[in-house]
């Protein structure tokens, strides 16, 4: 049984900050089939198209029939913990400072044996459920969970290394005026965040939802205009060392594409707000987050972007907006690589049109701001990297896997 | 026992057992250690490097060199060459391949050498680059070496067959007693069962004295025809039988046996001896539990009777079952791929009566085994050879 983690004490300023280290990162190219699944929270194994046998670790030919038709497919998650060990003296620095570390051999019901990190409530000889997780190095690992829910299971030490759980963490939500921002603040507080800093451009201007936001305990409204480099760096100077999770809720949606606009003013504004705002945030907050990746229970742990699913395929009705979102998506991959030495996760939420005023003319289904907020919390708690929120986003995702050219043509009709 | 259809190793012998004394850490390269072993081979045999026309190398730390690079490095001009990357099974594999090369006339004198250095960071480097499965599916779990992998095997084996830590401790303690008679063993202090039991855990159930100490060193022997050895006036040992097996019993969920279990019928029928006809046994002992597994798989008792076998035998040099008479890797040290050679080279000394302070009285026929390559969740390679001295 897991003891609940205690709220961390205020940091002693005289103590050195423990620097992040990463678990071993090298993988074969084939093994990134697991990385792709872990990013989306799916459990897959390789299965032979010729003889249907499952196999593990990642292979380039079936060990039963030598066929090369191995594909990563969703696989049954149940197995039995066959044997376990508690590693007390690992050779690797990352695990040595986290020792004792418990791992086991799991016999999967579908055949293969997997070496896995163990949740503390897994017991030898009993069933476990396997998942694929993104570890601190950004690569996929297998993690075995007890078959049934156990008390405080999310607080388990090894599991918390795999996740970005908001519990006892301090979070900056960059835009408190938006409906998504306000819902996110409430959801993160409900998930146990200690403090939520809420960014507000021109805080003296009243806005709907303000009273409810100010009434929440542990919520601090802070001045932040992300298009203004100085405003961002001023805030980072103030609270940068206390931001464990940064949730970029910037929203700048304007309809229209290329030829029906005159001049680049609207586009420039989109780039200023969405893309350069992201740049300002990353440059101001990224370096200190990267330093604080191993800073105890409330270490820096995740950066979350809310992106339009049309960052993946241009929707000409909102064509310039789609392009600004594509720029942000590309930049997020750069940020992910640059935050990796800190073990900081970069989580991208891909949403279809959100049910807000700027998508007024768009027919349903639209995503409720609360659904986006819940998806953020769930992504942080489960440690996913790419999350598709709502029916439209899921529809676009599936169609892109199927035929990206068809998506381009159909969005343009 | 069914009779073997394999060609016997007639008129092929092993000679010139060489050990370059181990050190815990070395600033020298693997090439330096391999060079010392070659030098000792030619001096020991009274030949020149030009007389060596076959060369077989095993090393974890000679990279980026393989055997070919070393021919030029050491000025060897050979007509038969092999690099054997089988870890703890390398020596048995080398002996088998070299013996057939000599028997068929492809080479006259083959130098079989394993040597590794141990810089302060070599062990970690070896771990990181061990195998693709290890890189993809073991190393990222903090296992950091074989300890955790063998812990998973050991725990399952101990639970399944009722093995206690005391049983495994008896193997380690007996080997330490043997090692105290071997001046080259790195472990110089006696080990009691109490010390074994109270040692700190490394990765349960593996504790400190279940682990070998990585070190630098080299081991070697020559393979040649009987008449060549006679003309050089070299004491030489015959090869009565060998076996080798890779990736056996892949469907066992957790490893409880090695490939020996598949092949021992052939081993003893080819040798024409029975397990109780052996004067000593040198098992590959990266962990005591692996030695116990071999007592079963090599036919000294049945599966599951390993603990009972250990309880009823004295495993020291003068005991009822002389085992790992040099002290084994557990007490001498594990010099990388040299660890594979430690048992076979000691076996060669024993049957030639050259073992000095660790000599088993009247040792004429003995067995040496190999085990290696924990590629993912189990050791893949196994092998064994039965050697006979001139007196047998």
């Amino acid at each position: 049984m897991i003891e609940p983690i205690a709220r961390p004490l205020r940091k002693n300023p005289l103590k050195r900050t423990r620097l992040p280290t990463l678990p071993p990162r090298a993988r074969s190219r084939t093994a990134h089939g697991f990385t792709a699944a872990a990013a989306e929270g799916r459990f897959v194994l390789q299965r032979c198209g010729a003889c249907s046998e499952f196999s593990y670790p990642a292979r380039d030919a079936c060990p039963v029939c030598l066929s090369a038709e191995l594909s990563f497919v969703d696989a049954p998650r149940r197995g039995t913990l066959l044997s376990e060990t508690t590693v007390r003296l690992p050779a690797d620095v990352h695990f040595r400072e986290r020792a004792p570390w418990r791992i086991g051999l799991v016999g999967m019901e579908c055949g293969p044996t997997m070496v896995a990190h163990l949740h503390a409530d897994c017991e030898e000889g009993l069933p476990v459920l396997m998942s694929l997780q993104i570890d601190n190095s950004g690569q996929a690992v297998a993690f075995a969970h007890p078959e049934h829910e156990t008390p405080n299971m999310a607080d388990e030490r090894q599991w918390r290394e795999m996740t970005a759980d908001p519990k006892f963490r301090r979070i900056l939500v960059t835009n408190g005026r938006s409906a998504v921002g306000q819902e996110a603040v409430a959801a993160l507080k409900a998930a146990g965040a200690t403090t939520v800093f809420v960014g507000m451009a021109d805080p003296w201007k009243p806005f709907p939802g303000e009273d409810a936001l100010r009434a929440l305990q542990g919520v601090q409204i802070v001045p932040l205009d992300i298009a203004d480099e100085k405003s961002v760096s001023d805030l980072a100077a103030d609270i940068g060392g206390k931001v464990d999770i940064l949730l970029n809720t910037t929203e700048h949606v304007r309809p229209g594409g290329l030829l029906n606009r005159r001049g680049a003013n609207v586009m420039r504004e989109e780039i200023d707000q969405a893309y350069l705002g992201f740049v300002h945030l990353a440059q101001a907050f990224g370096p200190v987050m990267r330093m604080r990746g191993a800073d105890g229970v409330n270490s820096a742990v995740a950066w979350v972007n809310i992106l339009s699913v049309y960052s993946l395929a241009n929707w000409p009705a909102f064509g310039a907006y789609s392009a600004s979102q594509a720029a942000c998506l590309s930049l997020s991959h750069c940020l992910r690589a640059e935050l990796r030495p800190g073990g900081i996760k970069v989580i991208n939420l891909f949403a279809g049109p959100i049910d807000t005023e700027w998508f007024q003319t768009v027919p349903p289904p639209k995503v409720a701001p609360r659904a986006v907020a819940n998806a953020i919390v769930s992504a942080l708690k489960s440690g996913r990297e790419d999350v598709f929120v709502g029916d439209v986003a899921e529809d676009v995702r599936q169609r892109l896997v199927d035929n990206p050219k068809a998506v381009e043509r159909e969005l343009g009709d | 026992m069914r009779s073997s259809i394999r060609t016997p190793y007639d008129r092929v012998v092993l000679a010139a057992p060489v050990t370059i004394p181990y050190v815990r850490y070395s600033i020298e390269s693997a090439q330096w250690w391999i060079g010392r072993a070659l030098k000792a081979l030619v001096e020991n045999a009274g030949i020149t490097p030009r007389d060596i026309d076959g060369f077989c190398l095993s090393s974890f730390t000679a990279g980026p060199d393989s055997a070919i690079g070393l021919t030029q490095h050491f000025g060897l001009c050979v007509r038969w060459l092999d690099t054997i990357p089988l870890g703890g099974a390398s020596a048995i594999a080398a002996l088998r391949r070299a013996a057939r090369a000599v028997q068929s006339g492809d080479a006259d004198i083959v130098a079989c050498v394993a040597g590794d250095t141990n810089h302060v960071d070599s062990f970690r480097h070896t771990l990181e680059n061990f195998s693709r499965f290890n890189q993809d599916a073991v190393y990222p779990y903090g296992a950091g070496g074989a300890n955790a992998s063998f812990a998973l095997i050991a725990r399952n084996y101990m639970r399944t067959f009722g093995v206690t830590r005391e049983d495994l401790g008896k193997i380690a303690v007996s080997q330490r007693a043997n090692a105290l008679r071997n001046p080259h063993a790195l472990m110089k202090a006696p080990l009691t069962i109490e010390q074994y039991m109270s040692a700190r855990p490394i990765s349960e159930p593996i504790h400190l004295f279940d682990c070998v100490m990585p070190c630098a060193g080299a081991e070697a022997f020559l393979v040649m025809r009987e008449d060549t050895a006679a003309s050089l006036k070299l004491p030489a040992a015959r090869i009565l039988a060998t076996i080798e097996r890779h990736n056996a019993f892949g469907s066992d969920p957790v490893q409880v046996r090695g490939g020996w279990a598949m092949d021992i019928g052939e081993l003893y029928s080819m040798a024409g001896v029975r397990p109780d006809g052996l004067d000593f046994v040198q098992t590959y002992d990266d962990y005591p539990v692996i030695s116990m597994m071999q007592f079963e798989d090599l036919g000294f008792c049945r599966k599951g009777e390993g603990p009972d076998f250990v309880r009823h035998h004295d495993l020291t040099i003068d005991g009822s079952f002389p085992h790992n008479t040099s002290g084994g890797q557990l007490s001498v040290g594990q010099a990388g791929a040299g660890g594979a050679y430690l048992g076979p080279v000691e076996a060669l000394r024993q049957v030639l009566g050259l073992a000095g302070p660790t000599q088993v009285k009247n040792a004429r026929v003995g067995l040496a085994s190999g085990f290696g390559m924990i590629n993912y969740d189990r050791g893949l390679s196994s092998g064994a050879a039965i050697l006979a001295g001139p007196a047998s």
Side-chain angles (χ1 to χ4, degrees):
Chain A
M1 166 153 161
I2 307 301
E3 287 296 312
I5 50 172
R7 182 175 170 152
L9 300 173
R10 284 174 73 95
K11 191 171 169 180
N12 179 347
L14 297 178
K15 277 200 170 159
R16 175 180 174 273
T17 300
R18 190 172 68 148
L19 294 181
T21 55
L22 300 186
R25 179 170 158 74
R27 297 289 192 284
S28 65
R29 181 168 292 177
T30 309
H32 284 304
F34 297 116
T35 313
E40 296 182 357
R42 290 183 294 123
F43 180 72
V44 298
L45 287 171
Q46 281 183 306
R47 188 172 205 182
C48 178
C51 74
S52 301
E53 284 291 319
F54 285 98
S55 59
Y56 183 86
R59 284 177 165 89
D60 298 313
C62 171
V64 177
C65 74
L66 289 179
S67 161
E69 286 178 56
L70 290 180
S71 38
F72 289 90
V73 300
D74 290 338
R77 293 177 57 203
R78 255 174 75 99
T80 303
L81 180 56
L82 301 174
S83 191
E84 61 159 283
T85 186
T86 302
V87 189
R88 306 211 172 247
L89 279 177
D92 169 275
V93 176
H94 178 82
F95 286 104
R96 189 165 276 234
E97 61 184 17
R98 283 161 180 76
W101 192 265
R102 195 159 158 263
I103 63 172
L105 270 182
V106 175
M108 300 301 293
E109 283 184 357
C110 61
T113 301
M114 300 182 79
V115 173
H117 296 301
L118 298 184
H119 187 283
D121 288 330
C122 291
E123 289 178 48
E124 214 170 47
L126 292 185
V128 295
L129 294 178
M130 196 69 87
S131 70
L132 291 167
Q133 300 298 140
I134 302 282
D135 73 4
N136 282 314
S137 78
Q139 312 290 48
V141 289
F143 195 100
H145 310 252
E147 189 186 23
H148 302 294
E149 185 126 346
T150 59
N152 308 310
M153 74 187 295
D155 282 0
E156 199 263 341
R157 193 172 65 92
Q158 295 188 191
W159 174 243
R160 205 165 148 100
E161 289 278 342
M162 304 291 151
T163 65
D165 200 306
K167 184 172 180 183
F168 294 139
R169 284 200 161 99
R170 298 154 302 178
I171 301 169
L172 171 62
V173 176
T174 60
N175 180 6
R177 283 185 195 279
S178 73
V180 168
Q182 290 178 13
E183 289 287 357
V185 173
L188 290 165
K189 278 305 297 175
T194 310
T195 307
V196 182
F197 303 104
V198 185
M200 193 73 64
D202 308 325
W204 52 272
K205 287 184 189 165
F207 58 94
E210 180 176 0
D211 293 342
L213 197 58
R214 289 191 187 276
L216 278 174
Q217 199 157 26
V219 170
Q220 289 182 33
I221 308 245
V222 292
L224 177 62
D225 175 359
I226 67 160
D228 175 358
E229 189 175 351
K230 181 159 188 314
S231 162
V232 179
S233 60
D234 283 352
L235 182 65
D238 218 20
I239 63 164
K242 293 188 279 194
V243 173
D244 309 322
I245 296 172
L246 190 149
L247 171 57
N248 180 6
T249 52
T250 307
E251 247 178 54
H252 193 82
V253 185
R254 297 294 180 271
L258 206 45
L259 303 186
N260 295 330
R261 278 181 179 160
R262 288 186 61 80
N265 281 349
V266 177
M267 275 114 156
R268 186 172 292 121
E269 185 66 12
E270 278 163 351
I271 292 295
D272 272 351
Q273 289 288 333
Y275 181 78
L276 289 176
F278 185 3
V279 170
H280 296 151
L281 284 170
Q283 289 185 338
F285 286 90
V288 64
M289 288 180 77
R290 185 170 59 185
M291 281 284 291
R292 292 192 47 253
D295 196 13
V297 165
N298 54 359
S299 61
V301 70
W303 178 295
V304 187
N305 296 307
I306 300 169
L307 299 173
S308 166
V309 75
Y310 300 111
S311 61
L312 296 166
N314 193 284
W315 181 25
F318 286 77
Y321 165 70
S322 298
S324 74
Q325 292 290 294
C328 292
L329 172 60
S330 179
L331 193 68
S332 76
H333 294 164
C334 175
L335 180 67
R336 187 175 281 153
E338 293 190 21
L339 285 179
R340 186 163 296 135
I344 310 292
K345 291 179 194 299
V346 172
I347 300 171
N348 286 334
L349 266 86
F350 298 93
I354 297 173
D355 199 359
T356 61
E357 55 183 357
W358 286 102
F359 289 111
Q360 176 220 330
T361 59
V362 176
K366 286 189 270 192
V367 186
R370 179 160 297 175
V372 178
N374 291 339
I376 292 165
V377 171
S378 147
L380 290 168
K381 284 183 166 181
S382 62
R384 291 179 196 186
E385 185 169 288
D386 292 318
V387 180
F388 291 79
V389 194
D391 300 331
V392 172
E394 181 56 28
D395 174 75
V396 172
R397 183 187 76 80
Q398 288 185 24
R399 284 156 63 199
L400 280 173
V401 172
D402 186 47
N403 182 350
K405 193 50 95 174
V407 178
E408 182 201 306
R409 288 293 189 280
E410 288 166 7
L411 286 174
D413 286 341
Chain B
M1 288 182 191
R2 67 190 171 86
S3 66
S4 172
I5 57 163
R6 286 168 55 194
T7 308
Y9 295 96
D10 288 344
R11 301 174 50 245
V12 182
V13 293
L14 304 189
V18 160
T19 297
I20 307 300
Y22 298 178
V23 296
R24 172 74 170 106
Y25 287 111
S26 168
I27 61 167
E28 306 291 355
S29 65
Q31 285 78 357
W32 185 91
W33 286 94
I34 295 160
R36 292 310 85 215
L38 281 165
K39 176 74 171 164
L41 279 178
V42 295
E43 283 182 352
N44 191 328
I47 58 176
T48 72
R50 283 174 299 284
D51 298 321
I52 295 174
D53 65 349
F55 178 45
C56 180
L57 174 74
S58 295
S59 177
F60 287 109
T61 53
D65 278 350
S66 66
I68 180 59
L70 297 193
T71 59
Q72 194 171 30
H73 194 133
F74 299 125
L76 300 176
C77 173
V78 297
R79 55 183 180 138
W80 184 90
L81 186 67
D82 206 351
T83 306
I84 298 187
L86 293 178
S90 296
I92 300 296
L95 177 164
R96 282 163 58 89
R97 287 159 183 58
R100 293 308 188 193
V102 165
Q103 191 172 33
S104 64
D106 290 350
D108 292 322
I109 298 182
V110 178
C112 294
V113 184
D116 269 293
T117 190
N118 190 36
H119 303 332
V120 285
D121 57 351
S122 339
F123 188 62
R124 188 175 307 124
H125 189 75
T126 300
L127 295 177
E128 284 171 8
N129 297 285
F130 195 74
S131 72
R132 177 170 140 177
F133 277 14
N134 192 72
Q135 170 204 281
D136 280 351
V138 181
Y139 199 55
Y141 296 83
N147 288 332
S149 299
F150 278 102
L152 295 169
I153 292 170
R155 185 174 164 106
N156 176 69
Y157 178 82
M158 290 169 75
R159 189 187 53 236
T160 306
F161 299 113
V163 181
T164 66
R165 280 196 62 222
E166 283 88 344
D167 297 330
L168 299 173
K170 183 171 176 186
I171 296 175
V173 167
S174 307
Q175 287 190 204
R176 182 61 60 87
N178 295 347
L180 296 179
R181 293 163 61 167
N182 174 3
H184 295 328
L186 287 184
M187 303 297 174
K188 308 280 187 201
L191 176 69
T192 65
I193 190 72
E194 291 74 25
Q195 286 168 320
Y196 173 92
M197 293 301 293
S198 61
R200 68 172 169 168
I202 304 294
S203 187
E204 282 109 337
I206 301 291
H207 292 63
L208 185 64
F209 296 113
D210 293 306
C211 302
V212 296
M213 181 186 276
C215 62
E219 303 263 344
F221 53 79
L222 293 175
V223 181
M224 62 187 72
R225 287 189 311 277
E226 212 165 16
D227 58 342
T228 313
S231 68
L232 292 168
K233 299 189 169 52
L234 274 180
R238 289 174 297 127
I239 306 164
L240 298 188
T242 66
I243 51 170
E244 177 179 336
R245 179 67 65 173
H246 306 282
N247 195 25
F249 308 119
S251 58
D252 288 356
V254 186
Q255 184 163 43
V256 290
R257 52 189 169 162
W260 311 282
M262 198 172 263
D263 300 307
I264 49 160
E266 183 181 299
L267 178 72
Y268 292 112
S269 67
M270 186 177 184
V273 299
R274 296 161 49 90
D276 58 14
L278 297 168
D279 299 315
F280 62 87
V281 174
Q282 317 284 354
T283 65
Y284 187 82
D285 60 329
D286 46 357
Y287 297 87
V289 67
I290 297 302
S291 289
M292 183 181 284
M293 216 179 259
Q294 288 170 80
F295 296 158
E296 299 165 346
D297 296 346
L298 288 167
F300 302 106
C301 57
R302 284 192 299 246
K303 184 54 66 185
E305 293 176 354
D308 211 46
F309 182 83
V310 167
R311 286 166 207 159
H312 291 96
H313 278 92
D314 176 345
L315 307 177
T316 59
I317 293 168
D318 302 318
S320 58
F321 187 77
H323 172 244
N324 288 355
T325 48
S326 67
Q329 297 182 81
L330 287 169
S331 284
V332 179
Q334 181 178 60
Y341 274 63
L342 183 69
V345 168
E346 171 73 3
L348 181 54
R349 283 199 189 93
Q350 288 286 352
V351 296
L352 297 179
L354 299 173
T358 63
Q359 183 68 49
V360 174
K361 279 195 196 77
N362 304 320
R364 288 184 297 262
V365 182
L367 181 151
S369 67
F371 182 60
M373 306 316 282
I374 184 141
N375 183 58
Y376 171 48
D377 60 341
R378 63 195 66 210
L380 292 185
S381 299
S382 63
I386 296 177
L387 304 182
S392 67

